Amino acid sequence: MATVATNAALTAAVASSPYTLVGAAMVGREIENIEDSQLMGLLVTGEEPIFAAGGEDGAVLFTSTRVIVAEQSGIISKRLAVKAFRRNAIVSYAIDPDKLTNLTLFGAFGQVNLYFETGFDPMLLSQWLGETLGSN
């Protein structure tokens, strides 16, 4: 019961937050050699990288336990703002493979829109997302 109360309290806290975790991020193309991702240094002990994408405006790393997003921020000086959320916080998703592939994740963290460059195969994340929703 304590876990349910904690999750409900967390959801309420996030819902009343004045900002979303990540509104939208351009995360580029798939990185074929996942070890080349600039976000690999953020992994914790026991966490396994599954899929990575990156570009000039940002990056994303899907792992066994989290989604880590880095997006360009700042007008004068460019810097990366890194945000992460638990994989098990995702409750649904939508993929729109128009000109840019748009992956929208929904959960206790709010809504996250990740935009992948042209040529990205939207089915690359289907197994990871299926396992994620199957375990929640």
Side-chain angles (χ1 to χ4, degrees), residues 31-122:
I31 298 173
E32 290 186 29
N33 182 5
I34 202 164
E35 300 296 324
D36 292 338
S37 172
Q38 61 188 352
L39 303 177
M40 284 295 293
L42 300 175
L43 296 181
V44 297
T45 304
E47 189 173 23
E48 297 293 325
I50 306 297
F51 175 81
E56 292 181 21
D57 296 321
V60 64
L61 179 61
F62 293 86
T63 77
S64 55
T65 58
R66 297 184 295 165
V67 177
I68 304 169
V69 180
E71 57 183 328
Q72 288 285 348
S73 63
I75 296 172
I76 297 173
S77 66
K78 292 292 184 185
R79 61 190 186 282
L80 283 179
V82 178
K83 300 166 185 177
F85 53 91
R86 294 182 336 248
R87 178 180 182 175
N88 64 5
I90 299 170
V91 296
S92 63
Y93 70 93
I95 296 176
D96 181 8
D98 193 17
K99 293 178 183 174
L100 296 175
T101 297
N102 175 16
L103 170 65
T104 305
L105 302 172
F106 304 93
F109 48 81
Q111 177 178 327
V112 175
N113 290 302
L114 302 175
Y115 295 95
F116 298 87
E117 292 177 8
T118 303
F120 174 81
D121 180 3

Side-chain angles (χ1 to χ4, degrees), residues 18-31:
Y19 59 90
T20 56
L21 180 66
V22 179
M26 291 292 297
V27 294
R29 297 185 169 275
E30 176 189 6
I31 298 173

